[in-house]
Amino acid sequence: MMLKKVLGTAVAGVLVASLVACGSDSDDAETAAAAPSGQNWRYAHEEFEGDVQDVFAYKFKEYVEENSDHTVQVFRFGELGESDDIMEQTQAGILQFVNQSPGFTGSLIPEAQIFFVPYLLPTDEETVVEFFNTSRAIHEMFPELYAEQGLELLSMYPEGEMVVTADEPVTRPEDFRGKNIRVMTNPLLSETYRAFGATPTPLPWGEVYGGLQTNIIQGQENPIFWIQSGGLYEVSPNLIFTGHGWFTTAMMANQEFYQGLSAEDQQLVQDATAHAYEYIINYVPGLGEDMLEKILESSDEVTVTRLNEEQIQRFRERAPQVEERFIEMTGDRGAELLEQFKADLEAVTGE
């Protein structure tokens, strides 16, 4: 598995060079020569074959190709580099679509880090789905923030509850003391683990497995399906359900490309996105438990710790300092977004 990841990253530069060489000029020439056939749209995401973002991408591709002459070429993790690389390629117009989590977009769009304020989102799957379906913050406020970076936000959706893995079971913040916990390159996520008592250690995904294996880091967080598909339980076998948040991702387009589409093709993109969203919002509930079962079948060394309400409260008491840091980072816009976020949550939880 590790060899596959290394090789995938190694050839990323070659693939990008090939895409640039086949840029817009040649695309235009090919389109003209092959009229009335459609265009080939390039779509990259951050995960492996069969993972949530991959399923979403292929549902999008399926709809586009069944309802137009266009084709969609999907690139998985490592084929075009790391998360930062595919975002840069999308902003440059090399890619037309990208799926990237706020964990990485947070350095570009600080307000997107709101998803890393611990204990803001509930862990109940049905409630989370309703929030994403109805949230004004997501459907009205976030598109404006993404547009400022040349991105057309098409969808935000949840992938699963965040679960921590570590070199030993953890039940209280004091157990994190002295542990290097890998975080995405996201300042607020670092603040979260600092508040939890750990030493946050930003690392790109390609270095996580090896870092756990060599004890450079002693833990990390991800949804269960990613822990399973990435084999992280093999080198970090203690799974801790802290209830502190959900992994969220966003699907977006290069804005110049999107705005240059005909009204018909813009509607096609919107419809394809809605098709993929409707599928994934029903696909994710229950996925975590299915993947946990696979993990437990694969390894006798794995332990599962589900914090009780008293234990969770010890972590929850540290969340306000992360919320305060979020507002410091994002100013009035972040405060307004947080207020709307809480109002949207209240609307679906009644609390």
Side-chain angles (χ1 to χ4, degrees):
M1 178 178 291
M2 286 305 298
L3 180 59
K4 180 180 178 182
K5 295 174 190 174
V6 171
L7 289 174
T9 303
V11 300
V14 176
L15 285 170
V16 172
S18 175
L19 291 182
V20 173
C22 299
S24 58
D25 291 342
S26 60
D27 285 346
D28 291 343
E30 290 173 7
T31 300
S37 63
Q39 301 171 342
N40 180 56
W41 295 341
R42 305 182 187 106
Y43 181 145
H45 65 74
E46 305 170 304
E47 295 174 358
F48 300 125
E49 181 178 0
D51 287 339
V52 175
Q53 290 183 23
D54 195 52
V55 172
F56 187 99
Y58 273 88
K59 285 297 173 182
F60 178 85
K61 170 184 170 73
E62 171 186 273
Y63 189 94
V64 168
E65 295 182 353
E66 287 180 357
N67 291 277
S68 74
D69 292 327
H70 302 308
T71 57
V72 177
Q73 186 177 10
V74 177
F75 297 91
R76 296 176 173 125
F77 173 81
E79 293 179 348
L80 297 178
E82 292 270 358
S83 294
D84 291 345
D85 299 316
I86 59 176
M87 175 56 76
E88 290 172 5
Q89 291 157 31
T90 304
Q91 288 183 295
I94 298 170
L95 297 170
Q96 284 72 53
F97 301 98
V98 68
N99 217 140
Q100 187 176 79
S101 75
F104 292 105
T105 315
S107 57
L108 185 68
I109 305 170
E111 294 85 357
Q113 297 177 97
I114 194 170
F115 292 101
F116 294 92
V117 175
Y119 300 103
L120 183 58
L121 282 174
T123 55
D124 175 68
E125 291 179 331
E126 188 174 320
T127 304
V128 169
V129 168
E130 186 178 355
F131 169 76
F132 276 87
N133 283 338
T134 61
S135 169
R136 179 173 173 264
I138 287 176
H139 296 286
E140 297 180 24
M141 300 177 77
F142 270 114
E144 296 178 4
L145 298 171
Y146 278 73
E148 292 174 4
Q149 301 301 325
L151 299 165
E152 185 75 24
L153 180 62
L154 297 169
S155 181
M156 281 187 156
Y157 58 92
E159 294 196 54
E161 180 182 350
M162 296 300 283
V163 178
V164 183
T165 70
D167 57 346
E168 61 183 356
V170 169
T171 59
R172 54 184 187 156
E174 290 78 8
D175 295 337
F176 273 130
R177 190 173 297 138
K179 293 189 186 300
N180 295 322
I181 302 297
R182 179 264 178 175
V183 296
M184 290 176 279
T185 51
N186 176 312
L188 198 72
L189 188 55
S190 293
E191 188 68 27
T192 292
Y193 276 93
R194 201 171 288 115
F196 284 176
T199 302
T201 307
L203 278 180
W205 165 247
E207 299 176 25
V208 175
Y209 190 101
L212 291 166
Q213 193 173 36
T214 57
N215 203 39
I216 293 173
I217 51 175
Q218 288 77 52
Q220 61 83 51
E221 67 161 33
N222 260 302
I224 281 289
F225 80 85
W226 189 243
I227 293 169
Q228 190 274 331
S229 69
L232 297 180
Y233 65 91
E234 299 166 353
V235 288
S236 189
N238 300 290
L239 278 55
I240 305 109
F241 287 74
T242 56
H244 72 277
W246 269 67
F247 189 84
T248 299
T249 193
M251 184 260 195
M252 64 211 88
N254 173 285
Q255 192 173 59
E256 185 176 355
F257 156 78
Y258 179 81
Q259 292 179 347
L261 294 174
S262 66
E264 181 182 5
D265 278 346
Q266 286 187 2
Q267 189 60 53
L268 172 70
V269 168
Q270 293 290 341
D271 291 344
T273 303
H275 172 75
Y277 177 85
E278 287 302 319
Y279 184 88
I280 218 70
I281 215 73
N282 292 300
Y283 176 82
V284 167
L287 179 64
E289 289 304 313
D290 291 344
M291 293 302 103
L292 178 59
E293 188 175 327
K294 286 188 176 183
I295 290 173
L296 294 174
E297 288 173 355
S298 300
S299 174
D300 294 331
E301 297 182 10
V302 170
T303 69
V304 177
T305 302
R306 296 182 186 271
L307 301 190
N308 60 37
E309 187 54 40
E310 182 180 347
Q311 292 167 331
I312 285 175
Q313 185 57 29
R314 292 186 177 183
F315 286 93
R316 186 182 284 119
E317 288 170 354
R318 301 182 176 219
Q321 71 186 72
V322 184
E323 187 173 305
E324 290 171 9
R325 182 70 181 118
F326 171 75
I327 294 174
E328 288 176 9
M329 290 177 177
T330 58
D332 291 342
R333 292 207 307 183
E336 183 182 356
L337 180 67
L338 182 61
E339 182 180 355
Q340 185 60 52
F341 217 83
K342 290 181 176 181
D344 295 340
L345 285 166
E346 183 179 353
V348 297
T349 63
E351 298 177 1

